[in-house]
Amino acid sequence: MKLTRALLNADLAHPADTMAWVVQDTTIANNGIYQKVGASGTGSWLRVADLPFSFIDALDEGAGTPNAIVATTEMPVSESALIVFTVFEENTGSPVTISFNGSAPLTMETNSGNDIAAAGLPAGMQAFGRIIGTTFRLITDQANAAIVAAAEAAAAAASDFRDEAEGYRDQAQTFAEAALEATLARGYLFGGEISNNVSDLTNDLDIAAGVAATDDAAPGMMVWSAVTRQLDVAYGTGNGGRFDSAVADGTWHIFACTNGTLVAIGMSQSLNPTGAPNYPAGYAKYRRLGSRVRISGAWRRVVQRGDRHMLLDALPQNGGAAIATTASAALLALSGIPTGFEVDVLLEASLTSATVSNGALLSSPIVNDAVPGASNAGSNVGHIQVASQYAAASLRIRTNTSGQIRHRANAAGNLYIAVHGWFDDRGSNVFKSGPSIGSSVAGGEVRSSQYNTLQDAITAAAGKKLVIEAGSYVTTGLTGVSNIEITTSGPVTISTTTNAPILDMTNCVNWSIRGHLRLVGNATPYTSYPGSLSDAGQKGIKISNCDRYLIDGKIELVNINGSGLFVDASAGGWQHEGLIKGIRAQSCYHGIRYTNVAEYDHVSDFSISNCAFAVRVESGNIMFSNGKMTFNSVCVSIAAGSNDAHGEFINCQMNHSNYAVDAAGITFGEVFTGCIALGDQAGAGHGKIRLTDSVGIQWNGGQVGGDIELAGTSRMALMNAYIRSGLVSAPSVSGGSTFTAKNNVVDTGGLWAYNN
């Protein structure tokens, strides 16, 4: 929008067909809607229409004379708009002229085209008319009172319509901006399908016309026409499309790239084409349109229908020879499908075996291995009914980034696998399951499908709500941000192959995690007491130097080679206002660990099983309530640390474990209220309460079904509890320890001498 035509003519840096408005030029005819002619930096502006204002409100403040009216408007007048004004003073002669905004006077005429008679425009009259050439013709009529009354009503309506039109204009602009934002959302892709060129099936690919957003945090739009690209010719020469320096077999990725103005289409074996030697300088933004595989010096022929990529000819694996499978899992690298990212591969599999009832399970390497069989993970390649016959199945399996799947059977056999194609959305799923228009604006909602990685989504969601969409993800470690709400749209599994925290919330404040989230580490499953795990430093969720946070949902922590939930803070930076609810930990070295002055959290409704330590506490002032801890080496481990212990466990079960409570070096005490400690059942551990040089341990209420052992200088009080005599021996109190038991009851027989 420009104020004058001169300002518009001075600005030619716009592409052809750009539209512009001139709104306040002193030459009335210059105001209007213009269209750019010619390329950016050249050409001219062509006036194509009047400004779209239906009604214009003018103001007559008496600046002129009764017979030469001077009026002003907030917007330029034109012949395409109706003008209304209130007459300031009655006219005394004829003809009458009117000038708008200092322009040349226009002769006022009646509705029938005659001059205005003397006194034909009384003061206060609402005059309603339009410009026709050098005249201003009234729609109102000076001689008819009824027409005047109608004009007065029309004048009032015109003012309302003007305001309403301005409102619609603003609303339309808002919608246009929202639509533009959605169009530019990362992930947008229309067209760009890839096909084998019939003239040169060996080297050439045809790329259809398309529109796409670049694959970066600040996406730009790319538009291109259909092109043919040759792999055997370097980019920059004719239809050459090879960004890399040499032709080679393997996976090639096809990209659209832009320098902000022009679009280049080419191929690279790197997922980052900017590193390829022949990549055009300055084309820093790009988007992968798809990938194809070159085998034995020629493109594998593919038929594409959107996200589905079908091999024109099925590709038997291992050259069509048998693939031996056993009861142990093995990985198989598939040929003919792209690598570098995960795809859903489509394949046909057949199994032969001399073992009747043998079946095979083909699965994705990004999830845990499972034993095939009806009572385990099942089979997806049938069961052999007659020895040495075969079973078959059509499967869709997610590969890893190396193009591998996993296979395993109940017994020895031979697999025959043929690949038929794959699914690859090329990052466009944001427009299939992403948010509605406007939902990803500041203060709104971000969905994980808008971004290539979960880390990108977390970073972009600072100050917003992040929805992680149901499914399985693999990471080498995620870093959280402050002021974020993380939730899930269904069950979410995030697994890792490194010892870095799966989700690290260090130094983050004011955040929450909700929903069904399963975090899987790389530890071997816990087996037997005292367990086979060690602390390799891995963490499921790490909380350090945080404040004002909430975890509430079904948060599963599995096979963590360290601590499932690890809470830590530097000295002087204690935890505050942390509420944690719904932790489920299994096969972790520590299910939950608090250390290094991490204090004042409330952990509730947790369940921990098959861990070396269910809960390990080396800090003070932490409340644990409504917890269930079973089949662990140690349920509650309280150890010396900075400002340790003096917290509380309320309504917690500690059953079927070697130690219900194991405390060492505690000086400030710990309180157990309404808790249950049971052992010696179903072959589990004894459930002992063991204190070593620990004082101030108080057990109030609940039930005890395990031995009690005090060593060194320990002090413990047991009060108001129910004692299972068949599971408990007399307390062992040694050294300078003191044990006090009051108001306890026993199921059979008498209580120890300590009860008084």
Side-chain angles (χ1 to χ4, degrees), residues 301-525:
R301 299 176 68 182
V302 176
V303 177
Q304 182 180 353
R305 294 293 183 268
D307 295 344
R308 182 164 184 159
H309 306 256
M310 298 171 286
L311 289 172
L312 186 65
D313 300 297
L315 183 59
Q317 302 298 292
N318 198 30
I323 301 166
T325 189
T326 67
S328 298
L331 294 177
L332 173 66
L334 301 175
S335 60
I337 63 169
T339 57
F341 54 92
E342 300 170 7
V343 299
D344 284 355
V345 65
L346 302 171
L347 53 85
E348 299 287 341
S350 300
L351 172 69
T352 65
S353 176
T355 302
V356 176
S357 78
N358 187 18
L361 176 64
L362 275 61
S363 60
S364 172
I366 67 177
V367 299
N368 287 339
D369 178 34
V371 177
S375 61
N376 295 299
S379 300
N380 53 15
V381 189
H383 286 88
I384 302 299
Q385 301 299 315
V386 178
S388 300
Q389 292 299 308
Y390 69 90
S394 297
L395 301 174
R396 175 173 171 170
I397 300 174
R398 190 75 168 179
T399 70
N400 58 18
T401 58
S402 299
Q404 296 174 317
I405 62 172
R406 181 194 298 119
H407 63 86
R408 184 172 179 176
N410 299 109
N414 289 317
L415 279 169
Y416 297 86
I417 298 175
V419 170
H420 287 256
W422 67 91
F423 280 90
D424 172 18
D425 65 21
R426 300 151 292 156
S428 64
N429 57 359
V430 61
F431 275 81
K432 299 170 186 174
S433 57
S436 60
I437 291 175
S439 65
S440 60
V441 299
E445 180 178 288
V446 170
R447 300 184 77 90
S448 59
S449 61
Q450 291 178 272
Y451 298 89
N452 280 352
T453 67
L454 283 183
Q455 184 60 66
D456 288 343
I458 291 172
T459 302
K464 304 174 185 179
K465 177 180 180 179
L466 169 62
V467 178
I468 302 178
E469 293 173 87
S472 298
Y473 304 81
V474 179
T475 180
T476 57
L478 301 171
T479 301
V481 296
S482 295
N483 303 310
I484 187 173
E485 178 184 351
I486 300 175
T487 187
T488 66
S489 65
V492 169
T493 298
I494 303 176
S495 58
T496 183
T497 57
T498 73
N499 283 332
I502 299 177
L503 178 58
D504 190 345
M505 300 301 296
T506 298
N507 297 322
C508 298
V509 299
N510 192 30
W511 53 269
S512 64
I513 300 173
R514 304 174 186 270
H516 187 174
L517 186 63
R518 180 181 175 89
L519 304 182
V520 182
N522 56 12
T524 57

Side-chain angles (χ1 to χ4, degrees), residues 656-657 678-687 705 707 726-728:
H656 312 299
S657 302
L678 294 177
D680 260 357
Q681 294 179 321
H686 195 66
D707 289 349
L727 302 176
V728 180

Side-chain angles (χ1 to χ4, degrees), residues 93-165:
S94 180
V96 178
T97 64
I98 186 168
S99 174
F100 295 101
N101 305 318
S103 62
L106 305 170
T107 300
M108 294 186 67
E109 295 181 350
T110 67
N111 185 277
S112 56
N114 299 315
D115 289 338
I116 303 296
L121 300 175
M125 173 184 172
Q126 289 289 306
F128 194 19
R130 58 171 293 201
I131 298 172
I132 301 177
T134 60
T135 67
F136 180 78
R137 179 169 291 193
L138 294 177
I139 293 177
T140 57
D141 199 312
Q142 61 171 344
N144 190 309
I147 295 177
V148 172
E152 290 175 347
S159 180
D160 292 340
F161 291 153
R162 178 204 64 197
D163 295 339
E164 185 176 4

Side-chain angles (χ1 to χ4, degrees), residues 603-677:
V603 182
S604 64
D605 302 307
F606 59 95
S607 177
I608 304 176
S609 62
N610 296 294
C611 293
F613 299 88
V615 176
R616 172 87 167 178
V617 182
E618 298 156 312
S619 294
N621 296 310
I622 306 160
M623 178 183 291
F624 294 88
S625 64
N626 303 323
K628 182 179 72 172
M629 294 163 276
T630 56
F631 300 105
N632 303 288
S633 294
V634 180
C635 289
V636 176
S637 171
I638 310 173
S642 301
N643 202 38
D644 58 65
H646 63 283
E648 185 173 13
F649 285 80
I650 304 171
N651 298 330
C652 291
Q653 295 180 356
M654 294 165 273
N655 299 345
H656 312 299
S657 302
N658 288 55
Y659 294 93
V661 177
D662 188 18
I666 301 304
T667 58
F668 295 148
E670 189 80 8
V671 177
F672 295 83
T673 302
C675 295
I676 299 174

